[in-house]
Amino acid sequence: MKDHESVLDYTVEPDETGLRLDAFLAARADRLSRSRLKALIKDGHVRVGARKLDEPNYRVKPGETIEVGLPEPEEATPRPEEIPLAIVYEDDDLVVVDKPAGMVVHPAPGAHNGTLVNALLHHCGDTLSGIGGIRRPGIVHRLDKDTSGLLVIAKNDVAHRDLSAQFADHGREGPLKREYWALVWGVPQLRAGSVDAPLDRDTKNREKRAVRRGGRHAVTHYRVEEIFQDGLVSLVTCRLETGRTHQIRVHMAHIGHPLLGDGLYGSGFQSKVVKLPADAAEALGSLARQALHARTLGFRHPETGETVLFHSALPSDFETLLSALRKPSEALQGRN
């Protein structure tokens, strides 16, 4: 092993005889994912005595002591940046962040700096033990740049693997819960319902998603919470059963009720802004984004197994718009 590597060692018991090397280590090294272990094997970091074991399908023998060298995590490619974060909860395994609107989650073309990942690299520092051998935060789900609210991020391989499995399961067999508040144009005919419509890239605009046959399965459950301005706008709670890009925005537009402020999927409803009271129209202009907030996030903690639940207060721009909409309409005022 190299001087800068820490070493884990495991002795093969008689009842483990004949197990594949990757399966043996996956059962023993419970702080490392199976994919990470396979990479360590193939990169020559696993030995028995002086012999290098670089084949995951090697069959272990009783009494062998298998040594696993753990290289120091490589520094992440994104640059750590000192950006203020609203930390809702943090421990050795994960961090829950209340993301502001306008912040991109992960570096991408056109957004290399100022992202949530850049901020987390600075905030977490050495508490990140490495995801797949890279010192980086484990992103298991995302929010659009202009959507505010709660995100959970893993700080190590085990937490990343567990949380990723929960999000992939979409809460069908676990406590995963994701609820959003959205302001939409009009009032859905059904006050509570589901939109089950597959999503894929829009064939005419690669920045958009569209309901398309053969797309990825996508289900959004919604419930109308409040109705404003004689039915011009309603506040809707949306609960995700799947987590596709732009899912809520596309699904609500698909049933004829796009989000306020959503220029990508609700451009045809911009003429309705003039029907809003002046203070509500001004608040919507100040919002300058889709009126969508990730309000509730619940999941099973990957280390303790306990169900944890977090709530986020509405950001001030969303709250200002909501308060303005709650004022009686001019028509109602005239009848009083």
Side-chain angles (χ1 to χ4, degrees), residues 83-129:
I83 301 170
L85 288 174
I87 304 297
V88 177
Y89 173 83
E90 184 174 10
D91 60 25
D92 291 340
D93 299 291
L94 56 88
V95 55
V96 178
V97 174
D98 200 341
K99 186 189 84 69
M103 175 179 274
V104 175
V105 171
H106 200 280
H112 296 288
N113 302 312
T115 72
L116 180 62
V117 166
N118 295 113
L120 286 166
L121 285 168
H122 179 273
H123 171 79
C124 297
D126 291 339
T127 66
L128 295 173
S129 67

Side-chain angles (χ1 to χ4, degrees), residues 20-328:
R20 284 175 53 110
L21 177 61
D22 55 354
F24 168 77
L25 289 176
R28 289 292 200 92
D30 59 358
R31 301 300 298 177
L32 298 172
S33 66
R34 190 157 183 166
S35 60
R36 175 68 175 138
L37 287 166
K38 280 188 176 182
L40 289 171
I41 293 168
K42 291 182 176 180
D43 290 343
H45 296 286
V46 179
R47 294 177 178 272
V48 56
R51 183 159 57 104
K52 185 185 299 183
L53 301 178
D54 55 8
E55 292 295 334
N57 62 358
Y58 171 81
R59 301 291 175 172
V60 300
K61 300 175 179 59
E64 285 182 328
T65 297
I66 309 295
E67 295 183 346
V68 181
L70 298 177
E72 284 295 315
E74 299 174 21
E75 292 303 319
T77 301
R79 181 168 56 88
E81 295 181 50
E82 189 173 359
I83 301 170
L85 288 174
I87 304 297
V88 177
Y89 173 83
E90 184 174 10
D91 60 25
D92 291 340
D93 299 291
L94 56 88
V95 55
V96 178
V97 174
D98 200 341
K99 186 189 84 69
M103 175 179 274
V104 175
V105 171
H106 200 280
H112 296 288
N113 302 312
T115 72
L116 180 62
V117 166
N118 295 113
L120 286 166
L121 285 168
H122 179 273
H123 171 79
C124 297
D126 291 339
T127 66
L128 295 173
S129 67
I131 307 295
I134 307 295
R135 196 186 301 280
R136 62 182 174 88
I139 304 298
V140 295
H141 66 128
R142 303 188 186 195
L143 295 177
D144 295 343
K145 174 185 176 182
D146 290 327
T147 298
S148 54
L150 297 170
L151 282 163
V152 59
I153 300 97
K155 296 171 72 174
N156 57 56
D157 258 328
V158 172
H160 188 245
R161 183 171 69 248
D162 188 283
L163 289 169
S164 295
Q166 291 187 58
F167 276 82
D169 181 65
H170 307 302
R172 286 187 290 264
E173 298 182 6
L176 183 71
K177 183 177 183 180
R178 289 176 291 170
E179 286 189 350
Y180 295 68
W181 268 13
L183 286 168
V184 304
W185 290 110
V187 183
Q189 184 175 6
L190 296 176
R191 297 298 188 265
S194 300
V195 184
D196 185 344
L199 299 180
D200 205 344
R201 285 192 181 274
D202 190 297
T203 55
K204 298 179 181 178
N205 184 345
R206 289 188 60 81
E207 292 185 2
K208 296 179 67 174
R209 297 298 188 272
V211 172
R212 289 181 58 194
R213 182 177 297 180
R216 301 183 70 185
H217 176 62
V219 179
T220 303
H221 306 285
Y222 70 87
R223 181 178 67 251
V224 177
E225 303 290 353
E226 292 185 65
I227 299 172
F228 312 105
Q229 303 299 316
D230 296 338
L232 182 60
V233 176
S234 55
L235 174 66
V236 177
T237 292
C238 294
R239 179 172 61 84
L240 292 180
E241 184 176 312
T242 56
R244 309 305 180 200
T245 300
H246 298 180
Q247 179 174 316
I248 292 173
R249 298 165 64 188
V250 180
H251 273 174
M252 295 312 295
H254 179 64
I255 63 171
H257 302 283
L259 275 61
L260 271 67
D262 193 342
L264 193 59
Y265 297 103
S267 58
F269 284 68
Q270 294 305 307
S271 60
K272 291 184 178 291
V273 175
V274 298
K275 299 181 180 181
L276 292 172
D279 55 351
E282 182 180 352
L284 179 55
S286 297
L287 186 74
R289 63 181 179 94
Q290 66 267 8
L292 184 63
H293 179 67
R295 184 169 180 262
T296 302
L297 176 64
F299 52 89
R300 182 186 64 251
H301 193 286
E303 178 63 25
T304 68
E306 297 179 357
T307 297
V308 292
L309 187 65
F310 303 96
H311 300 284
S312 167
L314 286 174
S316 60
D317 56 357
F318 198 124
E319 185 63 56
T320 298
L321 175 56
L322 193 58
S323 296
L325 289 167
R326 282 176 172 149
K327 294 178 181 179

